[in-house]
Structure formats: C-alpha cells, structure tokens
Amino acid sequence: MKTNHFILSSLFLLNILCLFPACTQKKNLSMNDRPLIPLPLSVEPAKGIFEISKETVIAVNKEDEHLLSLGKYLQSMLTRANGEKNRLRTETGSIGRNSILLSLVEDENFAKEAYILDVSVDGIHLKAGHPAGLFYGIQTLRQLLPAEIESASKPEMEWSIPCGRIHDYPVYAYRGMMLDVSRHFFGLDDVKRVIDLIAAYKLNILHLHLSDDQGWRIEIKSRPKLTSIGSKTQVGGGQGGYYTQEQFREIVNYAADRFITIVPEVEMPGHSNAALASYPELNCDGQARELYTGIEVGFSTLCTDREETYLFVEDVVRELSQISPGPFLHIGGDESLSTEKDDYIAFINRVQDIVSNHGKKMAGWEEIAQADLHPSSVVQHWNNPEDALMAVKKGARVIMSPARKIYMDMQYDSTTPLGLNWAAYIEVDSAYQWDPSRLITGINRQDILGIEAPLWTETILEMNHIEYMVFPRMPGYAEIGWTPPERRNWMDYKQRIGKQAARFRAMGIDYYRSPKIEWD
C-alpha cells in the first residue's frame, strides 16, 4: 500500500511539474515570438495574453458595409477555430471586455494601408483610416494566432494572442504577383487559390498574363475568334482554355474583397501568335498563322502598318477596360524582336493613347521606355537597367521585377524538377537579400511604384506546381514590398520563414523545403 501511495503521489507531482512550465511559457508568450511576415514597422510587446473563446464578441464601431464585411471575414476565420460563429455587433463606445473591435477612424495621419493593432488581456482593438488597413491588420492578427487557425479540421486548443501594440504600413503602394495563364491555362478555382495565398501576406496586385503566342485567355465579344481559335491550345499541345467576361468579373470581385487589384495584360505587338492565328488581317501578308505550342520567343508581331491592327487593339482595350476597374492596363511590349524599332515606337505611342482614351494608365515591360511615355504610364523592369533608367528620366514610375532576383519560374538550384534557369538559380536567400531602391544607380525609392514577382508557366502545369515555385519565395517578396529595408535582416528572416512551415502545412501548401532554412 505504501508503494502504491508513493507511486500515486509521485505521478501527481510529476503532472503538476509538467503543467507548470507550459503555463509559464504561455504567460511569457511575446509578440516577438510570433514569426510575422511581412515584418511590421513597429512591434511593442506587453505582458499577458488574450484568449479568444466562443464568447468573444467581434464588434465594429459604426454601421458601415465595409466594416461589417470585414467583421464577417474575421468571424469566418475564427469559426474555423471555435467551430461556431462569434457574435458580431456594432459597438460605438469603448472596447468591451472579451471583444475584438474593428474601428474606422477619420485621421489624416493614417496612410491608406496603415493600421494600429492593440492587444490587451481584456480584448483587441484594431483601427485604421481605410478598410484596406483593417484587412491587413486582420492578416497580422491571423499570424499572431497559432498556425492551426489555418486548418479546416477545427482542432481543440486554446487560441492565445500575446499582448502588445503593432503600428504598421507598407513601403510600396504596389506589391504584386504575376500569373501567366497563357503558356498553361489555370481555371477560376486555381486563380482564387492564388488570390487567397497572396492576400495572407499583404500583396495587393495580381497581374494576369492573358495572352501570348501559345494562347488567348480572355473573351473579347467583338472578336470571338480569339477564343474560338486562339484559346484552343497551350505549351505542349494541351486543350488550353479561356475566361468568359463574366468569369473574369468574378475573379475581379473575389480579388477586390481581399483588397487585391487585378491588372490584365494582353501582349502586343510581339508574343502575339494566338491573335495572328485567329485574325489573318493582323498579319502583314494577310495569312493566318498556325497555332503554336513551343516556348521560343520573338518570332511574332502584329502588323504595325495596317489600320486593321489598331481597330483590333481598340476593340480589345475597350472591352478589357470595361471589365477591369483597376487603374492599369498592361500591354506587354517585351521581346518584340520581329518588329522594326521605329515601327515599334510608333505602335506603342499610338496604343498608349488608346489605353488613355479608355480611362486607363498604360503599363508595359521595360522595352516600352523607348516610346514617348505619358507621366501616368508605368514601366516594368525585368532585364535591362538602361531601359528602366530611361523610363524614369522620361517621368514614368517603375515596377521592379528583376528576373535574376524575382522570377519565380526560375529553379531554386540545379536539382529543382520544375522551372527554367536562363536568368539565375534563385534560392530563398538570394530572393530575399536585395533592395529595389539600390538595384539600379539613378533609380531611387520615389521612382519606384512597387515590386512584382512573376510566375511564367512554361513548365508549370497544375496548382501544386504553382505552390512549389511560389513558396517559400513569395513571403520574402511580400516583405521586401512592405517592410522598410532597415528593418529587414536575412538571419532574422530565415528564422521566421522556417517557423512558417506549420502554417504552410495547415494551409495545404506544397512548398519547397529549402536547405537554406531550418524548417520548424
């Protein structure tokens, strides 16, 4: 009996000792322990934690459709944790106990995407001057919660958030990803998945590459052959595909709900074989081209001397402008190697006016810098620093997409099963360790609209391929676009990205386990 009593007493004491460190660790939990990406501008930890329960109330500070929509978005996120909806109400006074208050405030000191997040033991107060700021604050709140918040399985656990204050806003207004849906076509569900993934890391642009030599992917109702003929194949000879205008609007609206702007791109005058196969009059010889399924570039061009070409461009720009509420329309313009230089410049000048006449700002790859640019036009740097510098000297702003640093279709190393390597091998450390404002002498931060990470899809066939090439590089690009360079440090970042592994798994992301990172 003495032996049994001793064993029971020992087991009881052992259980107490096992529980005590966990409790201590929980009470000592700090905001700085959470691997936030992108790193906020300012984090001020405080003692204590706030625990979200089924009784926690989500409140908004006034009856506003944007606020209520954001409240429902947060409610949906927490439902995954609690298994049932937290109550949503309007609360015009001070923050109530055990509540999460979302406040829109009229304060000129708040930049459009800025937010302040205060967490105390009694509750959470998230405030911003614009709904976008609240949305980004919710993404930070999401990362302050355990990674299991991303799981669809509703695990039984405590949802603790460390106390403190975060004040945050981005360095660059334009923080984007480009998805090439022309080389290989991706349907609505895949595009929506991409939107959700980039929204979680505070990107605000999805640039869709909608046409190229291999396929035309957007319905133009006045030019039906673009889809009846030009959409019917892709690299390697697959069946291709396209978005109806109604489907494209669905993408635009889905993105807008996550404060992401869709930038549509139709390539011209080069990279245009799908259009040349659909409408013979776009060729100088009047003969339709064969559909193309390879990956070589530079062989195609619209006939810049024919008036039919500009009627075609007018139709495309008009209809695309009508279904794209964002400010930019991207005309491509790169690698038009079969177009004479003078013809190319005249073409871009004329197309720029067409885009402007339909209320949009022209964006294009860096080669368009050779034209007489409007101050509102935007040039996307990818290869030649001289073109980017020329654009800035002409008064245009630049989107930084240097291929050797930010092209996500580049292999990580020589063993990577997907991607190409013509620009570089881009491992996670190389992807992270650069500053857009120091990349090209003569181009400073004020000249840069933002950054964009393209994913060309010559070798990308399905969603898990997208995820593998995008993760873990994309969160680093998101941090470059959001966080001041003086706050960024590779040794710190590699620890934080390693701790994101649990979140990647909970989100079902098929990510590349880089040997440069100690994955948690």
Side-chain angles (χ1 to χ4, degrees), residues 73 83 103 121 187 198 233 245 279 318 334 404 407 411 423 459 502:
Y73 175 84
S103 296
V121 294
I198 68 175
T233 192
Q245 292 194 7
Y279 286 94
R318 181 186 68 253
D334 62 315
R404 62 188 175 86
Y407 268 31
Q411 295 171 287
T459 68

Side-chain angles (χ1 to χ4, degrees), residues 100-339:
I100 304 172
L101 176 62
L102 308 181
S103 296
L104 271 180
V105 297
E106 294 183 8
D107 187 339
E108 61 183 15
N109 294 319
F110 266 117
K112 178 180 178 180
E113 296 177 307
Y115 66 90
I116 293 176
L117 177 64
D118 282 306
V119 182
S120 71
V121 294
D122 293 326
I124 296 172
H125 189 187
L126 173 60
K127 60 182 178 180
H130 188 277
L134 291 178
F135 181 80
Y136 297 130
I138 290 173
Q139 303 315 308
T140 299
L141 183 61
R142 180 178 175 180
Q143 289 193 33
L144 287 170
L145 284 160
E148 289 82 0
I149 192 70
E150 309 293 349
S151 173
S153 61
K154 303 181 182 67
E156 288 291 333
M157 61 183 296
E158 293 179 340
W159 302 98
S160 301
I161 300 178
C163 294
R165 163 175 276 216
I166 293 176
H167 181 207
D168 202 12
Y169 55 84
V171 173
Y172 293 112
Y174 187 112
R175 306 175 305 281
M177 172 181 164
M178 189 215 78
L179 178 63
D180 170 15
V181 296
S182 183
R183 270 50 176 268
H184 284 101
F185 180 69
F186 293 89
L188 259 65
D189 289 344
D190 287 338
V191 175
K192 289 178 179 179
R193 167 78 167 161
V194 169
I195 289 169
D196 284 331
L197 292 177
I198 68 175
Y201 292 93
K202 301 186 176 77
L203 296 187
N204 63 358
I205 296 288
L206 180 61
H207 169 181
L208 290 176
H209 185 77
L210 293 167
S211 73
D212 213 297
D213 291 317
Q214 298 84 355
W216 187 281
R217 307 301 181 206
I218 181 67
E219 176 189 27
I220 302 297
K221 294 184 177 182
S222 61
R223 300 282 177 161
K225 291 181 182 179
L226 289 172
T227 47
S228 65
I229 296 173
S231 75
K232 295 304 183 183
T233 192
Q234 58 187 13
V235 167
Q239 67 179 4
Y242 69 95
Y243 309 113
T244 66
Q245 292 194 7
E246 289 72 23
Q247 289 171 326
F248 188 79
R249 285 193 180 96
E250 185 177 339
I251 291 171
V252 166
N253 292 335
Y254 190 87
D257 287 342
R258 289 146 184 83
F259 295 89
I260 290 172
T261 299
I262 299 297
V263 175
E265 177 189 357
V266 286
E267 277 271 19
M268 57 184 82
H271 285 277
S272 53
N273 193 77
L276 300 174
S278 303
Y279 286 94
E281 63 269 27
L282 301 178
N283 298 282
C284 289
D285 62 6
Q287 301 297 311
R289 299 297 183 256
E290 296 292 326
L291 292 173
Y292 179 68
T293 62
I295 64 171
E296 296 301 318
V297 300
F299 62 89
S300 61
T301 181
L302 299 174
C303 187
T304 59
D305 291 336
R306 284 195 164 204
E307 196 60 30
E308 290 92 336
T309 294
Y310 298 99
L311 295 174
F312 169 80
V313 172
E314 173 73 30
D315 288 342
V316 170
V317 169
R318 181 186 68 253
E319 293 194 31
L320 205 51
S321 297
Q322 290 169 350
I323 59 175
S324 302
F328 300 110
L329 197 152
H330 203 296
I331 66 157
D334 62 315
E335 298 177 318
S336 194
L337 307 181
S338 299
T339 317

